[in-house]
């Protein structure tokens, strides 16, 4: 946190680290963990289904990028409002409702692909609806983790490992379904994963808010006032908005084009099974990165995370260089290690460095700022590849990844942020 942090925030962080409760595992955290793991399994299958399904129906890389951009744009555009809603109402019910909406949309997508009548605007509309549902779901994740586990970094690491295991199994399974059935089978399976997630959340019981966690879901203040208050909390932290500002370049030039172009390039050159294997290698690397994040407790978390993130550039660069499947898989594995470690360091910093009563809104601003420019990168992926060649765009993405890491390390407020439980007077592990 910057030098302007208030004494009240420091006290809130210290009290939060001292409160009694499970360190990581409990019945309720296990249910939440299961919900995230199962939904993550379905999410990792989706790029394979979209790429293979749209290519089978005569669409190209641009269509895949637009379909993905529709979801990302809706998510980024509505997640800030979702953060305010999550701070005003019951986050668990919001998450259940969002899951049920996505059960319906993915079932509809499965029907379209099974019928063979696939129209791009319909797929984009389904993706947009999914994005809005995700925007209502995601803000509550940060506060739920903080309420269920006192070891926030351990909880984030465990969830990240679960997501990585899904990354290992999901794409390969999707490739098998596409190869032996159709993309519709993948969408039907995806709908089922959201149904399981909703059931786990239905059985979940959140503990009462601790006294230090501020006021309960509010009905007295206005929606607009809460929105403005969240923005003030967000912009008061240089390390927070500094990362988000730099991350915009990452979304446009690295993550945005990498996802659709890697999918289309590998599927076209080597088939959907090869793409599944490459993504599984990414998942294997992410497992390793998550396990490292469970064990390593750097004093300056964002500095360590930015250094680890250097490895992500190996993924788009290996595909852009036209290397074989084994080399692409190795690049994906290195990328997974770096991204997973950064992700846990960043999530834990956000969840432990800010007041609990504004956490959903701040997390929403974090997510919105992080992803706002991803649909731009995804939408430009096809036109850029047409003009420059997909290989050159991916090589540029690998180089830009290094620039982003250097920029993160160049900002003192980011590289020198001390973990919450390592500050003077902190009461132990967060």
């Amino acid at each position: 946190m910057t030098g302007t942090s208030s004494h009240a925030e420091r006290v809130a962080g210290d009290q939060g680290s001292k409160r009694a409760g499970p360190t990581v595992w409990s019945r309720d955290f296990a249910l939440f963990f299961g919900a995230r793991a199962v939904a993550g399994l379905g999410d990792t299958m989706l790029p394979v289904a979209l790429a293979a399904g749209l290519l089978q129906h005569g669409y190209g890389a641009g269509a895949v990028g637009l379909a993905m951009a529709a979801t990302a744009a809706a998510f980024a555009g509505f997640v800030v409002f979702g953060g305010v809603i999550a701070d005003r109402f019951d986050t668990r019910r919001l998450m259940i409702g969002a899951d049920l909406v996505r059960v319906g949309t993915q079932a509809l997508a499965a029907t379209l692909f099974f019928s063979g009548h696939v129209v791009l605007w319909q797929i984009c509309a389904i993706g947009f609806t999914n994005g809005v549902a995700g925007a209502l779901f995601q803000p509550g994740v940060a506060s739920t983790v903080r309420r269920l586990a006192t070891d926030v970094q351990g909880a984030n690491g465990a969830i990240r490992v679960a997501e990585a295991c899904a990354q290992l199994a999901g794409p390969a399974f999707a490739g098998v379904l596409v190869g032996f059935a159709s993309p519709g089978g993948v969408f039907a399976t995806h709908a089922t994963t959201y149904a399981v997630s909703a059931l786990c959340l239905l059985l979940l019981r959140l503990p009462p808010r601790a006294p230090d966690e501020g006021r309960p879901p509010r009905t007295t203040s206005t929606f607009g006032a809460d929105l403005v208050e969240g923005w003030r909390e967000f912009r008061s932290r240089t390390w927070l908005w500094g990362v988000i500002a730099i991350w915009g370049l990452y979304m446009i030039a690295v993550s945005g084009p990498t996802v659709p172009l890697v999918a289309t390039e590998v599927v076209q050159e080597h088939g959907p099974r090869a793409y599944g294997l490459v993504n599984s290698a990414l998942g294997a690397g992410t497992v390793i990165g998550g396990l490292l994040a469970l064990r390593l407790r750097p004093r300056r978390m964002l500095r360590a995370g930015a250094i680890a993130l250097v490895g992500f550039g190996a993924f788009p660069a290996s595909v852009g260089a036209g290397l074989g499947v084994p080399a692409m898989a190795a690049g994906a594995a290195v990328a997974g290690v770096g991204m997973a470690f950064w992700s846990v360091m960043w999530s834990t910093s956000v969840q432990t460095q800010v007041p609990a009563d504004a956490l959903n809104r701040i997390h929403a601003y974090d997510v919105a700022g992080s992803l706002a420019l991803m649909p731009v990168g995804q939408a430009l992926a096809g036109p850029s590849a047409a003009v420059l060649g997909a290989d050159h765009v991916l090589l540029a993405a690998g180089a830009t990844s290094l620039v982003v890491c250097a920029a993160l390390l160049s900002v003192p407020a980011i590289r020198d942020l001390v973990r919450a439980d390592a500050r003077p007077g902190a009461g132990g592990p967060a």
Side-chain angles (χ1 to χ4, degrees), residues 185 343 354:
S343 177
V354 301

Side-chain angles (χ1 to χ4, degrees), residues 36 43 46 66-85 94-95 98-99 102 124-142 163 194 244 247 251 346 360-376 378:
R36 303 304 300 139
D43 291 342
L46 186 58
L66 285 174
M68 293 182 178
T71 301
F75 182 85
F78 286 92
V79 71
V80 170
F81 303 103
V84 177
I85 294 171
L94 284 174
M95 290 190 286
D99 274 342
R102 290 180 288 188
C124 290
I126 289 173
F128 186 88
T129 305
N130 286 339
V132 174
L136 291 175
F137 184 101
Q138 185 61 37
V141 171
E163 293 170 347
Y194 283 129
I244 300 307
W247 210 249
M251 291 293 100
W346 172 246
N360 289 328
R361 282 167 292 160
I362 291 178
H363 179 55
Y365 276 111
D366 157 29
V367 173
S370 298
L371 299 180
L373 295 177
M374 176 180 274
V376 177
Q378 290 176 329

Side-chain angles (χ1 to χ4, degrees), residues 244-270:
I244 300 307
I246 295 170
W247 210 249
L249 174 62
Y250 189 88
M251 291 293 100
I252 292 177
V254 183
S255 184
T258 292
V259 175
L261 291 184
V262 165
T264 52
E265 285 293 293
V266 176
V267 169
Q268 287 178 336
E269 296 295 326
H270 304 282

Side-chain angles (χ1 to χ4, degrees), residues 88-242:
R88 295 174 68 90
F89 301 105
D90 188 295
T91 56
R92 184 179 68 93
R93 292 180 181 177
L94 284 174
M95 290 190 286
I96 292 171
D99 274 342
L100 293 177
V101 168
R102 290 180 288 188
V103 170
T105 56
Q106 296 308 85
L108 176 59
T111 302
L112 293 176
F113 278 100
F114 278 131
S115 69
H117 298 290
V118 177
V119 181
L120 181 59
W121 74 263
Q122 295 174 339
I123 300 302
C124 290
I126 289 173
F128 186 88
T129 305
N130 286 339
V132 174
L136 291 175
F137 184 101
Q138 185 61 37
V141 171
S143 61
T144 300
V145 170
R146 181 164 170 168
R147 291 174 69 181
L148 290 178
T150 54
D151 182 3
V152 178
Q153 181 178 336
N156 284 319
I159 292 172
R160 192 62 179 153
V161 169
E163 293 170 347
C165 291
Q167 188 74 42
L168 274 169
F173 183 45
V176 171
L177 283 177
V178 170
F180 292 98
S182 79
V186 182
F187 283 97
T189 303
H190 197 194
T192 303
T193 64
Y194 283 129
V196 174
S197 174
L199 177 60
C200 289
L201 294 173
L202 182 64
L203 298 173
L204 172 67
R205 293 295 178 266
L206 286 174
R209 288 173 178 260
D212 64 283
E213 289 189 330
R215 48 188 175 171
R218 60 196 84 184
T219 56
T220 55
S221 59
T222 66
F223 189 95
D226 286 350
L227 194 65
V228 171
E229 180 187 348
W231 172 249
R232 288 172 180 166
E233 293 279 2
F234 175 80
R235 73 179 185 179
S236 69
R237 295 164 175 80
T238 304
W239 63 270
L240 183 57
W241 64 257

Side-chain angles (χ1 to χ4, degrees), residues 6 183 390:
S6 68

